[in-house]
Amino acid sequence: MKTKQIFVLLVPILITQLGMFSMVFFNTIMSGRYSSSDLAGVAIGTSIWSPVFNGISGIFLAVSPIAAQRFGQKKQDEVAAVVKHGIFLSVIIAIIIIVLGYFFLNPILDLMKLSPRVQETAFDYLVGLSYGLLPLFIFNVLRSFIYALGKTRVIMVIMLLSLPINLVLNYVLIFGKLGFPELGGVGAGYATAITDWIFLGMTIFIVKKQDPFSSFQIFSKIKEFSWEQCKEILQIGVPMGLSVFFETTVFAIVTILLSKFNVTTIAAYQSALNVVSFIYMIPISISTALTVLVGYEVGAKRYKDAKQYSWLGVGIAVLIAIGTGLVVVAFRYQVAGLYSTEAAVINLTANFLIFALFFQICDAIQATAQAALRGYKDVNIAFIMTLVAYWLICLPAGYLLANFTSLGARGYWIGLTIGLLAAGIALSIRLIHIQKNRYSAAATQ
């Protein structure tokens, strides 16, 4: 029964994640069809935006465990208050990001020493994206609220309805069709921003009009502000956001460190990383479902059920990681062939994908153990553990293996795997500790 419940939440979340991934994919592909410099500009813009967005989204994800616990406690008014204050924070953070971007975006791009055309495209693409910051952040808060109630199909439907709109907007704005201006890669930024407003419009309509969301009256008395409510979200959300930010930046740093190798190595690494990132949608989707389920059971004081969900989620993620990993390894040359026609790149990518199998298993453990801890609202120690694993184990181990052994670029994959394994072990120990020392007495009652 519990396995079924995880999959009931998981499948719509996974489809939603794949939809969001495909939006970035289409931005890149369609910009590349316009020109190579536009492709480079959009890729640079995305590399700057992704760690920021993922980190900020981590803050808004805090709404899920908090609201799920309140929902489990049957405290509807408090659920509504959490969501309202999440919206307040999303507005404040959006303004802060836009102001920081105004002052620091050009200096950051200047440091990258790009060609003028690529830099201009990257800047204008990010400016286009910025028009969608506010709706995107509010949408993420409302998405976390909807997930907290276990209604994950709603967001899936919104995503599936919005994807074709985004594709059409990309086409007309990048290539200047149907009387629209021809903006090149920059058009992808504006297309995404418009789609973000569409996301938000549909979500607000559902939250206001459809049960069970309408019963919470999220948008009534919206002016009532309490710093204490915001503080609770930030206390849980900031460590979550920083953890996501530091994890994503590790991969960006590795990409930079790999630049000393030849073009074949860089291309193979990026291809293998793209495959791994795509498959990572599965454990990240399980994690989102797990946080909600554990949070709800903890709120309802069903600690035994919370514990069972925790380890069931970890087990399912590991089994799926082994299964998908073995498939990728078995068909590694065919997979590599999707990214390149050059024999050298295909062979090296296929080699990297063997290491990616172990990488995926370790990543599945750490992602789901961390998600279960979020359900218990235990995030500070988990953040420190992941920070140490990513920055004091992953990077140094990868650097030493890549530069002081015969492994070369493969050393970075091994370093990343070692760091993720360390994170998985540490977070699992922390989860056992929390369940045993904070909730064991209640669980046996």
Side-chain angles (χ1 to χ4, degrees), residues 24 27-28 37-53 105 108-109 112 114 118-127 129 185 189:
V24 177
N27 281 355
T28 308
S37 59
D38 282 74
L39 170 61
V42 169
I44 294 292
T46 302
S47 69
I48 293 171
W49 170 236
S50 289
V52 175
F53 168 67
L105 180 54
I108 290 170
L109 291 169
M112 300 177 83
L114 306 166
V118 171
Q119 179 164 337
E120 183 184 355
T121 301
F123 179 85
D124 291 340
Y125 171 72
L126 288 168
V127 169
L129 284 179

Side-chain angles (χ1 to χ4, degrees), residues 247 275-285 287 363-364 366-367:
E247 182 178 4
V275 174
V276 170
S277 299
F278 184 75
I279 295 172
Y280 183 61
M281 298 294 162
I282 300 173
I284 206 69
S285 299
S287 298
D363 211 7
Q366 71 91 24

